[in-house]
Amino acid sequence: MIPSVIGIDQGTTATKAFRLAASGQFEHLCSFEHRQIYPHPGWVEHDPRELLANIERCLESAGGAVGAGLANQGETVIAWNADTGEPIYNAIVWQDNRTQACIERLKAEGTEQLTIERAGLPLDPYFSASKLRWILDQVPEAAALARHHKLRLGTSDAFFLDRLWGEYATDVVTASRTSLMNLSTGEWDSDLCKLFGVPMELLPPIRLTIGQFGNRIPLVAGIVDQQAALFGHGCLDPGQTKITFGTGAFALALTGAQRLGAPQRGILPTLAWRLGTQTTYAIDGGVYNASSALDWTKRLGLFEDYDDISDFDGPSALERGLVFVPALSGLACPYWDRSAAGMWLGMGLETERRDLVRTVIEGVALRSAQAVAAMNKCLPLAGTISIDGGMSRNRYFGKFLASALGRTITVPSAPDLTGLGICRLALIGAGLADARSLPELPAPERTIVPDMPLDHALLARFDDAVSRVRGWRGI
C-alpha cells in the first residue's frame, strides 16, 4: 500500500481535508462549513468549538495516513482555559477591526517603526497582537485565569494543537503574523510584547514548520494557509509568485534566504517556511476583499449563479468609466488603510446589474495588480504568476487580471492549492520526501496570455478612484 498523508485546511469559511499519496495521487476527502459571526459592524468571529469539531471530523477521514498537516487562518486568535481546554471567548478572525482605536493610539505614539523593524509589519488590526490585548482587557475570565497562570492565548493553530495533539505550540510562520515575533530571530520579542501589553509567558513556544506532535495521527507540518498555498503552487525559487483568491486576495513571492520588503511602502517581509535549519522568506501583498466582495454582490441580488458571470461582451466597465473599489473591509497592500470604504463610481441611468457585477470582478483584479506592482518594486517577479481560489475559475476574471498585470497567468489543475501545499509539507514531515524530490505537480489547467496590457491611463483612473475612498469612514 502506497503511504499517504492527510492535509487539513482550516480556512475562513470552511475546514477541508485532502489526501496525498507519496506517488502523487491527490484527492479531496471532505469539507465542513462553519458559521460567520458578526456581533457588531466590523467584528468577525468564529465558534472555536465548531472549528475544533470540524477538524476532528476531517481527521476521522484520514484512514491509514502516516501523518497530518494543518494549515491555519494566520492572524485569527483564541484564548482558552489551560485546565479544561474550554475557550473563554469566540475566535477573533483576521478580518476583524475592533481594535482600530488601539492601533490609531499606538500610531499616534510613534511606535509603528518598532513593529516594522522587529516584526516586519505595520500597525493594523489585521495582525494578532491587538486582538490578544483586547481579550485580556475585555474578557473578565482572561484576567482571572492569567493571574493563576491558567490562561492560554495564541493564534488558532495553538488551540488546535493543544486540544487535538496535546502540544501547546505554534509554528514560526504563524507566529510571524502576530506582530509579536522578531522576524530575524524567530522568537517572541520582549519589546513588542510590552508594546501591545501581551505577557510573553502566556504565548505558546514557537516550533519549526516541520515537526512531529501527538500519537493519534502525528501532526508533522503546520503553517499559515497562504504560505501553504505558495508551497502548493511549487514556488521554490526567488521571484516565483502566486495569488490566492479566497475571502481576500493574497499575493506572495519568494525571496529565498534574503529578507526583503518595505512595510513603509506597503510591502511586507514575511516567512515562507522554515525547514530544518533553512529559513525561506517571502514578500506579502494582501487585498482584504476578493471572493467576499463577489459574495456580497450576490447577496444584494445582482446575480443568481456564478456561472452567469464568467463572460461579458463589449468594452470593460473600466473603459466605460465605471469603477468599483472593493474596500469593503478597508485597503490592505500597499495602503494599509482601514478607514477606506467600498464604493461605485461612474454610475448613470444606463447602468445595469451586470455592469455592477462586472465592476466588482474588475475591481478585485485591479487591486491585486496594485499589490503586485508594489511587490515588483522590491523584487523582480517572474514573468508568469500562478493563481488559485474560487475566482480563478471565472473566465472573465482571469482574462482581465492578465491584462491588468500585463503578465501571463497559469491556473493549476489541482482543485485546492492550500490543501495540496500542506499535504506536500506533510510528506516532508513524515519523511516521505524532501523539498526537491516531491511528486511532480500536474500541468496547469489553463494558461492565460494577456491580449494587451491595460493602458496606463485606465490604471491611473482606478488609482484615482482608490484615492477617493480613503478616509471615507473617518469623515
Side-chain angles (χ1 to χ4, degrees), residues 293-362:
L294 202 56
D295 293 343
W296 168 78
T297 312
K298 186 173 185 291
R299 292 198 303 273
L300 292 180
L302 297 182
F303 70 96
E304 294 183 359
D305 192 278
Y306 290 98
D307 289 339
D308 297 336
I309 58 169
S310 269
D311 295 291
F312 295 88
D313 297 323
S316 68
L318 182 64
E319 290 175 279
R320 291 181 283 122
L322 188 57
V323 175
F324 178 70
V325 181
L328 299 169
S329 303
L331 291 168
C333 174
Y335 305 100
W336 297 104
D337 182 0
R338 286 295 187 114
S339 70
M343 190 177 295
W344 272 291
L345 296 170
M347 291 187 293
L349 293 174
E350 74 285 356
T351 303
E352 300 179 348
R353 288 190 303 172
R354 279 181 63 82
D355 294 325
L356 297 178
V357 175
R358 191 174 186 176
T359 64
V360 173
I361 294 171
E362 293 178 9

Side-chain angles (χ1 to χ4, degrees), residues 316 318-321 366 454-463:
S316 68
L318 182 64
E319 290 175 279
R320 291 181 283 122
L366 290 162
L454 283 184
D455 184 87
H456 287 296
L458 292 176
L459 294 174
R461 175 179 291 173
F462 184 74
D463 291 343

Side-chain angles (χ1 to χ4, degrees), residues 76 94 137 165 191 319 325 338 346 358 399 401 412 426 437 448:
T76 296
W94 59 270
D137 288 341
W165 285 279
D191 291 333
E319 290 175 279
V325 181
R338 286 295 187 114
R358 191 174 186 176
K399 183 178 178 180
L401 178 65
S437 67
I448 307 169

